[in-house]
Amino acid sequence: MEVSFNMALGLHVISGFAALLVFVIPMVTRKGGTFHRRTGWLYVVSMASVSITALYMGIYRLTWDAGSNPDAIPFSWFLIFIAILSGATAWYGIRVLRFKKRKISHRQPIDFLFPSLMLISAIGVSAYGWIISFPLLQYFPIIGMFLGLSQLQYWLSVPKRKSHWVVEHIVGMLSCCIATVTAFTVFGAPRLLQIESVSLMLWFMPTMALVPLIIGYSTYYTRKLDGKRNVPD
């Protein structure tokens, strides 16, 4: 089992660095262009690998290493949650493009599965964080609660704006970026800097930096596609 864990860890590190290297490119290249799509897919594939390996490693730690290293349990739960968050947001960012022309509420069960899983896991992990007084688990899952509810609301509602799919694509992919960079600040940065831990403020810096980008991009494309008054279709 240790061999499989080390293989998963190696793939996780490689995929994570690949995601970190390319995640900015789709944000600054022409939307819908060939380079934007190719680098976007590279990011999605990298994050799919990151998500799957993170989920495996988190479960492995809880199943086989919990007894030998109890202090790793909270971070294992965070690893599992960040795997769900990154996977669900990347899936959402792709699926809204697939159904960008829809005129009715969405009824694909798989698209309700991921936000529901994200919402349930966020509530459970946050509750566990409050029980053990672990701030990272107490507060960070609030992002998952918000995203889970907003994704469910989007799929259930009838689109009223031309920009709906662009805005939701941006929200999905940049939320996935938050998961990417946050995971690096929690797990990767301490090892590279050879320190035991980092501050809670540093853990939340990716969120504080990328949320204004989400708002800015969403506002820009809403005005561009819907007009300055944002008149519904």
Side-chain angles (χ1 to χ4, degrees):
M1 294 298 293
E2 187 175 353
V3 174
S4 63
F5 178 86
N6 290 333
M7 291 176 62
L9 177 60
L11 180 58
H12 182 81
V13 171
I14 293 171
S15 301
F17 271 108
L20 285 171
L21 288 173
V22 303
F23 85 94
V24 175
I25 298 175
M27 288 193 292
V28 298
T29 52
R30 184 173 64 87
K31 305 302 179 283
T34 301
F35 195 54
H36 174 85
R37 293 197 303 269
R38 288 179 178 175
T39 53
W41 274 113
L42 177 58
Y43 177 75
V44 169
V45 171
S46 298
M47 283 309 302
S49 176
V50 168
S51 179
I52 293 170
T53 52
L55 184 62
Y56 171 77
M57 291 190 295
I59 294 173
Y60 178 95
R61 290 294 191 189
L62 289 176
T63 305
W64 285 281
D65 284 359
S68 60
N69 187 13
D71 293 336
I73 294 177
F75 285 101
S76 297
W77 280 115
F78 179 77
L79 190 61
I80 291 172
F81 174 70
I82 209 75
I84 295 172
L85 176 65
S86 58
T89 50
W91 175 265
Y92 181 72
I94 295 301
R95 293 290 283 181
V96 294
L97 297 180
R98 173 70 174 79
F99 296 98
K100 65 182 181 181
K101 294 183 179 180
R102 70 183 179 95
K103 300 296 183 181
I104 60 175
S105 59
H106 194 60
R107 289 294 183 266
Q108 294 288 333
I110 193 169
D111 292 318
F112 291 95
L113 172 63
F114 285 102
S116 298
L117 180 61
M118 181 165 54
L119 176 61
I120 293 170
S121 64
I123 294 172
V125 170
S126 182
Y128 173 66
W130 283 100
I131 291 172
I132 65 172
S133 299
F134 196 79
L136 179 63
L137 298 186
Q138 288 174 330
Y139 299 108
F140 190 79
I142 294 174
I143 297 173
M145 297 179 201
F146 172 78
L147 290 173
L149 288 172
S150 64
Q151 288 182 14
L152 290 171
Q153 189 275 333
Y154 172 74
W155 288 128
L156 287 169
S157 65
V158 177
K160 293 183 173 63
R161 303 183 187 278
K162 295 178 181 178
S163 63
H164 69 92
W165 60 275
V166 178
V167 170
E168 295 304 317
H169 174 68
I170 292 169
V171 171
M173 301 315 295
L174 287 184
S175 297
C176 188
C177 291
I178 290 176
T180 306
V181 184
T182 301
F184 175 75
T185 60
V186 172
F187 297 106
R191 293 182 180 180
L192 288 176
L193 299 175
Q194 296 183 344
I195 57 178
E196 293 185 0
S197 62
V198 291
S199 68
L200 184 64
M201 181 62 68
L202 184 57
W203 286 338
F204 278 90
M205 281 185 64
T207 301
M208 293 185 289
L210 289 172
V211 165
L213 279 179
I214 294 175
I215 296 172
Y217 273 117
S218 299
T219 302
Y220 172 78
Y221 281 101
T222 296
R223 291 178 176 177
K224 181 178 180 179
L225 297 180
D226 298 333
K228 293 184 178 180
R229 295 183 179 180
N230 299 328
V231 179
D233 291 345

CSV table of all heavy atoms in Angstrom, one decimal, residues 45 79 82 94 102 108 119 131 137-138 162 166 195-196 208 221 231:
chain,number,residue,atom,x,y,z
A,45,VAL,N,-7.3,18.8,-16.9
A,45,VAL,CA,-6.7,17.4,-16.8
A,45,VAL,C,-5.8,17.3,-15.6
A,45,VAL,O,-5.8,16.4,-14.8
A,45,VAL,CB,-6.0,17.0,-18.1
A,45,VAL,CG1,-5.3,15.7,-17.9
A,45,VAL,CG2,-7.0,16.9,-19.2
A,79,LEU,N,-7.5,17.6,3.0
A,79,LEU,CA,-7.1,17.1,1.7
A,79,LEU,C,-8.3,16.5,1.0
A,79,LEU,O,-8.4,16.7,-0.2
A,79,LEU,CB,-6.0,16.1,1.9
A,79,LEU,CG,-5.2,15.6,0.7
A,79,LEU,CD1,-4.6,16.8,0.0
A,79,LEU,CD2,-4.2,14.5,1.0
A,82,ILE,N,-10.6,19.4,-0.1
A,82,ILE,CA,-10.1,20.2,-1.2
A,82,ILE,C,-10.1,19.4,-2.5
A,82,ILE,O,-10.2,19.9,-3.6
A,82,ILE,CB,-8.6,20.6,-0.9
A,82,ILE,CG1,-8.3,22.0,-1.6
A,82,ILE,CG2,-7.6,19.6,-1.3
A,82,ILE,CD1,-8.9,23.2,-1.0
A,94,ILE,N,-16.7,23.2,-16.8
A,94,ILE,CA,-16.7,22.6,-18.1
A,94,ILE,C,-18.2,22.4,-18.5
A,94,ILE,O,-18.6,22.6,-19.6
A,94,ILE,CB,-16.0,21.3,-18.1
A,94,ILE,CG1,-14.5,21.5,-17.9
A,94,ILE,CG2,-16.2,20.5,-19.4
A,94,ILE,CD1,-13.8,22.4,-18.9
A,102,ARG,N,-28.9,26.3,-23.1
A,102,ARG,CA,-30.2,25.8,-22.5
A,102,ARG,C,-31.1,27.0,-22.2
A,102,ARG,O,-30.7,28.1,-21.9
A,102,ARG,CB,-29.9,25.0,-21.3
A,102,ARG,CG,-29.4,25.8,-20.1
A,102,ARG,CD,-29.1,24.9,-18.9
A,102,ARG,NE,-28.6,25.6,-17.7
A,102,ARG,CZ,-29.4,26.1,-16.8
A,102,ARG,NH1,-30.7,25.8,-16.8
A,102,ARG,NH2,-28.8,26.7,-15.7
A,108,GLN,N,-29.9,17.1,-15.5
A,108,GLN,CA,-28.9,16.0,-15.6
A,108,GLN,C,-28.4,15.6,-14.2
A,108,GLN,O,-27.8,16.4,-13.5
A,108,GLN,CB,-27.7,16.5,-16.4
A,108,GLN,CG,-27.9,16.8,-17.9
A,108,GLN,CD,-28.2,15.5,-18.7
A,108,GLN,OE1,-27.7,14.4,-18.3
A,108,GLN,NE2,-28.9,15.6,-19.7
A,119,LEU,N,-21.4,20.4,-1.0
A,119,LEU,CA,-22.2,21.0,0.1
A,119,LEU,C,-22.2,20.2,1.3
A,119,LEU,O,-21.9,20.7,2.4
A,119,LEU,CB,-23.6,21.3,-0.4
A,119,LEU,CG,-24.6,21.9,0.6
A,119,LEU,CD1,-24.1,23.2,1.1
A,119,LEU,CD2,-26.0,22.0,0.0
A,131,ILE,N,-15.6,21.1,16.2
A,131,ILE,CA,-15.5,20.1,17.3
A,131,ILE,C,-14.1,20.1,17.9
A,131,ILE,O,-13.8,20.0,19.1
A,131,ILE,CB,-16.0,18.7,16.9
A,131,ILE,CG1,-17.5,18.7,16.6
A,131,ILE,CG2,-15.6,17.7,17.9
A,131,ILE,CD1,-18.0,17.4,16.0
A,137,LEU,N,-10.3,24.1,9.1
A,137,LEU,CA,-11.5,23.3,8.8
A,137,LEU,C,-12.8,24.0,9.3
A,137,LEU,O,-13.9,23.7,8.7
A,137,LEU,CB,-11.4,22.0,9.6
A,137,LEU,CG,-10.3,21.1,9.2
A,137,LEU,CD1,-10.4,19.7,9.9
A,137,LEU,CD2,-10.2,20.9,7.6
A,138,GLN,N,-12.7,24.9,10.2
A,138,GLN,CA,-13.9,25.7,10.6
A,138,GLN,C,-14.4,26.6,9.5
A,138,GLN,O,-15.6,26.7,9.3
A,138,GLN,CB,-13.6,26.5,11.9
A,138,GLN,CG,-13.4,25.7,13.1
A,138,GLN,CD,-12.9,26.5,14.3
A,138,GLN,OE1,-12.2,27.5,14.1
A,138,GLN,NE2,-13.3,26.1,15.5
A,162,LYS,N,-27.9,36.5,-21.3
A,162,LYS,CA,-27.0,35.9,-22.3
A,162,LYS,C,-25.7,35.5,-21.7
A,162,LYS,O,-25.0,34.5,-22.1
A,162,LYS,CB,-26.7,36.9,-23.4
A,162,LYS,CG,-28.0,37.3,-24.2
A,162,LYS,CD,-27.6,38.3,-25.3
A,162,LYS,CE,-28.9,38.7,-26.1
A,162,LYS,NZ,-28.5,39.7,-27.1
A,166,VAL,N,-21.0,32.2,-19.4
A,166,VAL,CA,-19.7,32.8,-19.3
A,166,VAL,C,-19.3,33.1,-17.8
A,166,VAL,O,-18.3,32.7,-17.3
A,166,VAL,CB,-19.5,34.1,-20.1
A,166,VAL,CG1,-18.2,34.7,-19.9
A,166,VAL,CG2,-19.8,33.8,-21.6
A,195,ILE,N,9.2,24.8,7.0
A,195,ILE,CA,8.6,25.2,8.2
A,195,ILE,C,7.4,24.3,8.5
A,195,ILE,O,6.9,23.6,7.6
A,195,ILE,CB,8.1,26.7,8.1
A,195,ILE,CG1,7.1,26.8,6.9
A,195,ILE,CG2,9.2,27.6,8.0
A,195,ILE,CD1,6.5,28.2,6.8
A,196,GLU,N,7.0,24.2,9.8
A,196,GLU,CA,6.0,23.3,10.2
A,196,GLU,C,4.6,23.7,9.8
A,196,GLU,O,3.8,22.8,9.5
A,196,GLU,CB,6.1,23.1,11.7
A,196,GLU,CG,7.4,22.4,12.2
A,196,GLU,CD,7.3,22.1,13.7
A,196,GLU,OE1,6.3,22.4,14.3
A,196,GLU,OE2,8.3,21.6,14.2
A,208,MET,N,-8.7,35.5,-0.9
A,208,MET,CA,-8.8,37.0,-0.9
A,208,MET,C,-8.3,37.6,-2.2
A,208,MET,O,-8.7,38.6,-2.6
A,208,MET,CB,-8.0,37.5,0.3
A,208,MET,CG,-8.6,37.2,1.7
A,208,MET,SD,-7.8,38.0,3.1
A,208,MET,CE,-6.3,37.1,3.1
A,221,TYR,N,-17.9,40.6,-18.2
A,221,TYR,CA,-18.6,39.9,-19.3
A,221,TYR,C,-20.1,40.0,-19.2
A,221,TYR,O,-20.8,39.9,-20.2
A,221,TYR,CB,-18.2,38.4,-19.2
A,221,TYR,CG,-16.9,38.2,-19.8
A,221,TYR,CD1,-15.7,38.0,-19.1
A,221,TYR,CD2,-16.7,38.2,-21.2
A,221,TYR,CE1,-14.5,37.9,-19.6
A,221,TYR,CE2,-15.5,38.0,-21.8
A,221,TYR,CZ,-14.4,37.8,-21.0
A,221,TYR,OH,-13.1,37.7,-21.6
A,231,VAL,N,-30.1,44.0,-18.8
A,231,VAL,CA,-31.5,43.7,-19.0
A,231,VAL,C,-31.6,42.2,-19.3
A,231,VAL,O,-30.9,41.7,-20.2
A,231,VAL,CB,-32.0,44.5,-20.2
A,231,VAL,CG1,-33.5,44.2,-20.5
A,231,VAL,CG2,-31.8,46.0,-19.9
